[in-house]
Amino acid sequence: MQTALPVALSAQLALEKRLDTIAHNVANARTAGFRAEEVKFEALISRVGSEPVTFASEGTTYLSTRAGEMTQTGNTLDMAVSGDAFFAMQGPNGPVYTRDGRMRINAEGSVETINGYPVLDVGGATLQVDPNAGPIAIARDGMITQNGGQIGAVGLFAMPPGANLTRFENSGVIPDQAAVPILDFGDVGIMQGFVEGSNVNPVLEISRLIALQRAFESASNLVQTSERTLDDAVKNLGNMS
């Protein structure tokens, strides 16, 4: 049984998926709060023939939880998360979670993301401030103070262990399980006046791209060699007959 060809093709399919994730990561290397996409590959073993044959799986994508670089902006409406947590915003079909903490206040006093989605508190309610009452202060626990009075708190949420995350636009994620509100701010908190950048490492992605190109060339050579071997076998059988 000719096994080199299907094995090489499975490798090329896996490499193509890895290439897509690298391209997406590099394109968003400067996107605030962007979570890099990684791929987990597994070996698939076929025992149909006399000898087991190992194929490469297409791979399962997941989002990296590494923190991005923090940049101090001095803007009172910029926030960054210290620790493993997310802000929440009201998306078209329910809550969406993000590490992009660039906020603004609209004319009605609603705190929203720069893309216009309302920011939520820990209970899932939208945040309101007085747009004419001066600057706001945001504490580590998300408490918003304006003119010396507490007027609400920015919610922070943790993703449940094992939750699958679906990307929303560039920096948002939607878990397949309900996110958990954070009430203990010992290891998690908000940094006012900072913005978290993408957690993509461009140098690492480029080195992965080079390794990927070499691996793809090796798989292509294996396909060509397998095809030549098969052609030669067919010719020899024809000559023998």
Side-chain angles (χ1 to χ4, degrees), residues 129-142:
V129 301
D130 185 346
N132 301 313
I136 64 174
I138 305 172
R140 177 179 172 83
D141 62 358

Side-chain angles (χ1 to χ4, degrees), residues 38-195:
E38 307 285 354
V39 183
K40 178 182 179 182
F41 295 104
E42 295 179 349
L44 303 178
I45 301 177
S46 172
R47 302 185 184 276
V48 175
S50 57
E51 296 292 335
V53 179
T54 303
F55 297 86
S57 71
E58 186 179 355
T60 303
T61 59
Y62 64 96
L63 301 185
S64 169
T65 58
R66 296 190 309 270
E69 181 179 359
M70 301 292 181
T71 301
Q72 187 170 12
T73 66
N75 186 342
T76 57
L77 291 177
D78 285 342
M79 295 178 282
V81 179
S82 173
D84 188 10
F86 290 78
F87 299 111
M89 58 186 179
Q90 183 61 47
N93 300 307
V96 177
Y97 303 90
T98 183
R99 298 275 293 197
D100 184 357
R102 297 173 297 170
M103 309 299 180
R104 67 186 185 189
I105 300 174
N106 65 19
E108 291 73 36
S110 176
V111 181
E112 59 185 24
T113 68
I114 60 169
N115 292 325
Y117 296 108
V119 180
L120 304 179
D121 64 14
V122 71
T126 57
L127 292 170
Q128 292 287 136
V129 301
D130 185 346
N132 301 313
I136 64 174
I138 305 172
R140 177 179 172 83
D141 62 358
M143 185 60 66
I144 301 175
T145 304
Q146 189 177 31
N147 273 342
Q150 296 180 345
I151 57 176
V154 179
L156 287 182
F157 299 81
M159 296 297 108
N164 293 316
L165 305 180
T166 302
R167 203 182 287 282
F168 176 84
E169 295 185 351
N170 281 337
S171 298
V173 297
I174 301 174
D176 61 352
Q177 305 174 36
V180 180
I182 289 181
L183 303 176
D184 182 358
F185 297 92
D187 298 323
V188 176
I190 291 177
M191 301 165 57
Q192 185 180 20
F194 286 80
V195 168

Side-chain angles (χ1 to χ4, degrees), residues 217-229:
E217 289 174 352
S218 297
S220 297
N221 291 336
L222 181 58
V223 170
Q224 294 173 5
T225 301
S226 178
E227 288 179 339
R228 284 196 299 267
T229 301

